[in-house]
Amino acid sequence: MPVTYFHKFSFWFVVFSTFTIVVANASSWELRLDLQGEWKFHIGDKPNWAEVTYRDDHWEKVQVPSAWETQGFHAYDGFAWYRKTFDLTEEQSEENLYISLGYIDDVDEVYMNGKLIGFSGAFPPYFQTAYNAFRRYPIPLEYLNPQGKNTIAIRVYDAKIDGGILSGVIGIVTNAEYNKLDVDLGGLWNFRLGDNMQWKEENDKSTHWVSVMAPLFWEKQGFASYDGFAWYRKVFYLPKALESKDQILLLGMIDDYDQTYVNGQLVGSTGFDDNGQYIVNDNYAYTSIRKYDLSSEILRYGDYNTIAIRVYDKIIDGGIYKGPLGILSQDNYTKFWRRWWR
């Protein structure tokens, strides 16, 4: 029977009212470094405020979390930036780390040592608030300085009423389950609408890619009501230490169909036939957990690799919408599966 809007909606009503609770209870987030308290702060908006080398000595100091209106910036709406430096131990820098920033009103971009690692909402002129979204972004290990200072810079836009980093856990956190991933692929991906098989190639030089977060429906990121083809791309580093281990690629859940390539080679697909045509009557592919074996012949250890995902969405929401996203060894796969999906 063909899928309908009602079928898709009713399925997710059941799933999200039960599965989300199970995952939340099963999670084990641990605070590695408390970052609440004093931060540097400046109203306005300049791109170089994200840079590590920028001198912020003259900036105001505010307490985080707390609305900036309560700290001398009453009735201020618009752009502002926060900055803070911190040190990590070498042991901490080898974990899969995330930055937790609680709730921010309304929109944010977060930079670690000058590199964008996450965002929520959309800035003007295409403003979209994300005041009710809890911010927790993965930090790529290669962006961290394990033997010196690290700098966080946060660009914020507030449209009205309270603004800034308002509440929640503020700090560097980790999760015992996510640490079983050898490579965490959550976070920023390159993305574009349309369909071109050249986009799977490592040497693709096409432009007009934009950054999106994954996992998160593309409708939540400025592509409302879009149904059809789109592509995701991401470059990731594969440590040399993993060379002797068989690897599994986990891509969570994708709405609706996908063909996934690593270094230009097809490693798996869901909802497509052998000719690359999507299967029209495969109505529940979006509920399938993507797990693809990675052959050592196509991987480069101690080097960068490229993953490209061709996605087709039939109706309603689309894209990579549920994690975990990452690479883990076959040895860890059974343990990870049992604990994560229990």
Side-chain angles (χ1 to χ4, degrees), residues 251-281:
L251 294 176
M253 294 182 181
I254 298 175
D255 194 338
D256 287 285
Y257 311 143
D258 76 283
Q259 286 180 299
T260 297
Y261 299 83
V262 175
N263 295 334
Q265 301 297 311
L266 182 67
V267 298
S269 67
T270 301
F272 283 91
D273 62 24
D274 293 340
N275 297 317
Q277 301 297 314
Y278 62 87
I279 303 171
V280 176
N281 62 353

Side-chain angles (χ1 to χ4, degrees), residues 66-140:
S66 182
W68 64 51
E69 282 83 355
T70 66
Q71 303 185 74
F73 299 91
H74 179 68
Y76 177 74
D77 298 323
F79 286 93
W81 284 70
Y82 295 81
R83 286 174 58 95
K84 192 175 184 69
T85 60
F86 66 93
D87 294 305
L88 286 175
T89 66
E90 187 171 351
E91 180 182 2
Q92 289 171 336
S93 66
E94 293 175 353
E95 297 180 298
N96 284 326
L97 298 176
Y98 291 70
I99 184 167
S100 174
L101 295 170
Y103 295 93
I104 297 177
D105 196 337
D106 287 282
V107 184
D108 66 286
E109 287 179 343
V110 179
Y111 296 83
M112 182 65 67
N113 293 329
K115 304 290 188 181
L116 180 67
I117 63 169
F119 64 89
S120 296
F123 290 100
Y126 306 107
F127 172 70
Q128 181 176 339
T129 184
Y131 75 93
N132 58 349
F134 188 90
R135 271 66 163 186
R136 187 190 292 122
Y137 304 127
I139 306 172

Side-chain angles (χ1 to χ4, degrees), residues 218-244:
W218 65 50
E219 282 81 0
K220 301 292 186 183
Q221 305 183 71
F223 303 95
S225 303
Y226 178 76
D227 299 322
F229 282 99
W231 283 72
Y232 293 80
R233 283 176 61 95
K234 190 179 185 76
V235 176
F236 64 93
Y237 183 81
L238 193 61
K240 184 75 171 176
L242 302 178
E243 190 167 12
S244 61

